[in-house]
Amino acid sequence: MTIDHEYFMRLAIDEARAGAAMGEQPFGAAVVIDGEVVCTTRSLKVSMSDTTAHSETRAISVATQKLGRRELPEATFYCTCEPCPMCCGAVLNSGIKTMVIGARNRHIKHSAKLAFNFKDYTVERFAEMVGWDLTVIEGVLQDECVGLYTGAAVPLTR
């Protein structure tokens, strides 16, 4: 089965845009199993006054609750931006083994005031550090994803 990563990344981008339109930071995520969308989510940090309400942590929470199980090893995780360490921990704990990333932290770091000051952090370094067998597919709709953040009206304070 051929997986249309661009299609699923567009769903995450749509979530990021919808969040930005309501005053949230422009982050979006999707969880997909066997070509079927389990969920799509956006960041709700601003409206919920919750520093943990990232689109990625929300996606893992929604997907696991919807499916009634804690682990999703067969899922593919889509994110408009490289997840922070907290979000990586959530994806790791769900057992997901494939992550598709639009923008990398290094692509948008200059747009952030407090975010992405993780020195040489990458998802791959995190995975290596904890012994996580993770496949990373990067650059899917990268320019569109970078544009979410470089044109963002809300300062990035991830």
Side-chain angles (χ1 to χ4, degrees):
M1 172 165 92
T2 303
I3 300 171
D4 187 352
H5 293 306
E6 288 189 6
Y7 173 79
F8 297 116
M9 184 61 74
R10 285 192 197 290
L11 297 177
I13 290 169
D14 289 347
E15 283 290 334
R17 286 186 177 140
M22 56 187 263
E24 295 291 344
Q25 295 176 330
F27 295 93
V31 176
V32 176
I33 296 177
D34 295 329
E36 298 292 324
V37 177
V38 176
C39 70
T40 60
T41 56
R42 65 190 70 144
S43 174
L44 292 179
K45 281 179 58 177
V46 176
S47 62
M48 294 179 70
S49 298
D50 181 351
T51 60
T52 67
H54 293 198
S55 62
E56 301 91 345
T57 55
R58 293 189 61 246
I60 296 301
S61 178
V62 170
T64 55
Q65 289 176 19
K66 180 177 181 179
L67 297 174
R69 52 192 176 107
R70 296 181 330 164
E71 296 183 348
L72 309 169
E74 74 280 25
T76 300
F77 189 84
Y78 291 84
C79 45
T80 56
C81 183
E82 184 170 10
C84 73
M86 175 185 71
C87 291
C88 265
V91 178
L92 161 71
N93 281 305
S94 74
I96 289 176
K97 297 181 185 312
T98 304
M99 181 182 293
V100 181
I101 299 172
R104 287 289 192 154
N105 291 336
R106 68 180 178 272
H107 298 138
I108 63 171
K109 187 173 188 171
H110 65 281
S111 300
K113 294 190 181 207
L114 299 175
F116 313 110
N117 295 317
F118 301 132
K119 299 193 187 246
D120 61 353
Y121 165 84
T122 65
V123 168
E124 291 87 350
R125 285 195 178 115
F126 182 95
E128 181 181 353
M129 180 183 73
V130 298
W132 180 14
D133 181 22
L134 178 68
T135 298
V136 175
I137 300 166
E138 66 176 315
V140 176
L141 299 178
Q142 178 178 306
D143 292 341
E144 203 168 332
C145 288
V146 169
L148 290 168
Y149 310 106
T150 57
V154 178
L156 303 177
T157 58
R158 196 165 223 196

